[in-house]
Amino acid sequence: MYTLPKLNYELDALEPYLDKETMALHYGKHHQTYCDKLNGALEKYPELAEKPAEELLKDLSNLPEEIRKPVQNFGGGFVNHNFFWSIITSPRQSLNEGGSTSSEENIPTGELAQKITEQFGSFEDFKKQVSDKALGLFGSGWVWLVLNKEGNLEITTTPNQDSPLSVGQKPLLTIDVWEHAYYLKYQNRRAEFVTAIWFVFNWPFIENLFTSK
Ligand code: MN3
């Protein structure tokens, strides 16, 4: 049985950028539902349910046909949210550690920062490209920074709960742009949510994902 990961922060720790009510609903209801439905879909396949859900997503075509779509949707929803919670953190926490609450200063350093500059020109250009993709994505889905098969960074989107893992990419960063991710606080103002999310990215963690490639 899959279970939700414990968050590394309290539900109100991402305020004012991500509010407590949205976090409670998003994690406690939406994410939980994907987890429950994934467990339900795999009821007849206990040997598959033993595997990390990421492994199932990496090899969808090898799954029994009747659970391929449910794993793509619910397994994707489960894994994408696990990942999303892991790459954001409390802005207060980074402040306590000598960081800043200014999004301009919540930026990557080290090898990842170098690679971003090399590929996208500057961090600001990179940020604009990610944000533009998030604003331009029609319907429900996710924006990603991934490491592609060639070992380069790529900004991509996936519809619904599709995972980059299913196309051989390694996720480094993501923005959930389903309305449930922001509607309680930002209503239809997706742009405000996309601006806010840059304050809570956990760059040391993301950097670590990149260097552990
Ligand atoms: Mn979501």
Side-chain angles (χ1 to χ4, degrees):
M1 292 281 277
Y2 298 103
T3 54
L4 293 198
K6 208 178 149 346
L7 298 180
N8 291 323
Y9 38 79
E10 300 299 321
L11 290 172
D12 63 357
L14 305 164
E15 298 259 9
Y17 308 106
L18 301 187
D19 60 296
K20 182 184 179 182
E21 290 68 32
T22 299
M23 286 298 295
L25 190 70
H26 199 176
Y27 172 74
K29 303 290 183 197
H30 290 278
H31 193 187
Q32 186 66 57
T33 299
Y34 291 119
C35 183
D36 294 345
K37 290 193 169 177
L38 175 63
N39 285 325
L42 291 176
E43 242 167 18
K44 290 192 332 204
Y45 300 91
E47 73 290 352
L48 291 175
E50 303 264 301
K51 298 186 177 190
E54 287 83 355
E55 296 306 313
L56 305 179
L57 291 171
K58 283 179 185 172
D59 207 3
L60 286 174
S61 60
N62 256 340
L63 295 176
E65 203 192 333
E66 65 166 336
I67 59 165
R68 205 171 292 153
K69 203 69 188 173
V71 169
Q72 181 181 346
N73 290 338
F74 308 133
F78 174 61
V79 166
N80 289 346
H81 287 90
N82 289 348
F83 182 74
F84 186 45
W85 309 136
S86 79
I87 58 102
I88 56 179
T89 191
S90 163
R92 277 204 296 277
Q93 187 176 318
S94 68
L95 186 66
N96 290 340
E97 288 163 5
S100 166
T101 52
S102 152
S103 77
E104 278 74 39
E105 288 175 283
N106 185 26
I107 57 173
T109 55
E111 277 181 55
L112 177 58
Q114 274 178 23
K115 184 81 170 166
I116 285 174
T117 304
E118 186 187 306
Q119 281 198 239
F120 302 100
S122 69
F123 181 75
E124 280 311 303
D125 288 329
F126 161 74
K127 183 174 167 180
K128 183 170 186 324
Q129 285 188 40
V130 172
S131 301
D132 286 350
K133 274 233 185 330
L135 296 179
L137 195 150
F138 181 76
S140 297
W142 297 74
V143 179
W144 304 89
L145 174 69
V146 299
L147 207 52
N148 66 21
K149 289 176 192 160
E150 291 72 43
N152 288 317
L153 301 177
E154 205 175 309
I155 300 166
T156 67
T157 62
T158 58
N160 306 312
Q161 294 294 352
D162 289 3
S163 165
L165 297 170
S166 302
V167 287
Q169 298 168 337
K170 176 177 176 171
L172 298 177
L173 173 149
T174 192
I175 306 175
D176 183 347
V177 285
W178 282 59
E179 278 190 345
H180 69 227
Y182 60 87
Y183 205 84
L184 270 186
K185 180 177 169 76
Y186 297 102
Q187 286 88 49
N188 61 331
R189 303 186 304 277
R190 187 191 282 189
E192 287 182 29
F193 164 69
V194 170
T195 298
I197 196 88
W198 292 89
F199 287 85
V200 296
F201 283 136
N202 186 347
W203 286 112
F205 183 84
I206 297 164
E207 162 90 12
N208 198 44
L209 292 175
F210 175 69
T211 52
S212 66
K213 62 183 182 273

